[in-house]
Amino acid sequence: MRTAVFPGSFDPFTIGHKDIAERALNMFDFLIIGVGFNINKPGNDAIVSDRVKTIASIFKDEKRITVEAYSGLTVDFAKRHGAGFIVRGLREVKDFEYERNLADTNAAISNIETVFLTARPEFGFISSSMVRELKSNGYDVSRFLPK
Ligand code: ADP
């Protein structure tokens, strides 16, 4: 059984994230969506547990996906779940530079392999920060979010 972790902040979880999760399921038997949070930031717990519930409801009919919050290193989270792979999405060169560094670091401290999926062109421009910016300025962001 191949288990992968798809980690992120998912603030919020967009249709771009959903696409990566669904495509990862074509490669792995189980996918754990890990919502990372900083244990030192007070008040974060409630926000993150809400986020976990929202993402879990999106995948309520998909038994091979579970959603969980975690703090600390992604490789430790993956090891706790017996996951040998980390899935990440790549949109642009900027993502690649950042992600390669993370993947190399994780490879240096564990035997967990990072697998990259390139964003589909129709989702490549969508980011959580863009969605937050539009929303805070009163725009309807529903078309960027899963139903
Ligand atoms: P982080 O805070 O760890 O960067 P994000 O929640 O922003 O987490 O993103 C999680 C993962 O999803 C990252 O690998 C990111 O590159 C990828 N991602 C974000 N938006 C998209 C998108 N529109 N299409 C494909 N991958 C994406």
Side-chain angles (χ1 to χ4, degrees), residues 6-20 23 70 87-91 95 98-99 102 116-120 122-129 132:
F6 179 32
S9 319
F10 305 123
D11 178 21
F13 192 87
T14 69
I15 52 175
H17 294 131
K18 181 167 182 269
D19 185 59
I20 297 291
R23 287 162 57 202
Y70 74 99
V87 173
R88 297 284 284 178
L90 294 178
R91 284 161 295 186
D95 275 352
Y98 173 72
E99 295 291 343
L102 266 182
F116 296 111
L117 291 173
T118 54
R120 290 272 187 249
E122 62 270 37
F123 302 128
F125 69 99
I126 301 170
S127 68
S128 297
S129 58
R132 287 198 305 275

Side-chain angles (χ1 to χ4, degrees), residues 58 137 141 145-146:
I58 296 164
N137 283 285
V141 293
L145 304 176

Side-chain angles (χ1 to χ4, degrees), residues 55-81:
I55 302 170
S57 75
I58 296 164
F59 296 109
K60 65 178 184 323
D61 296 326
E62 180 47 76
K63 297 282 172 276
R64 295 190 296 138
I65 293 185
T66 57
V67 190
E68 205 180 295
Y70 74 99
S71 64
L73 295 184
T74 304
V75 290
D76 292 335
F77 176 65
K79 279 187 207 161
R80 284 202 292 280
H81 289 282

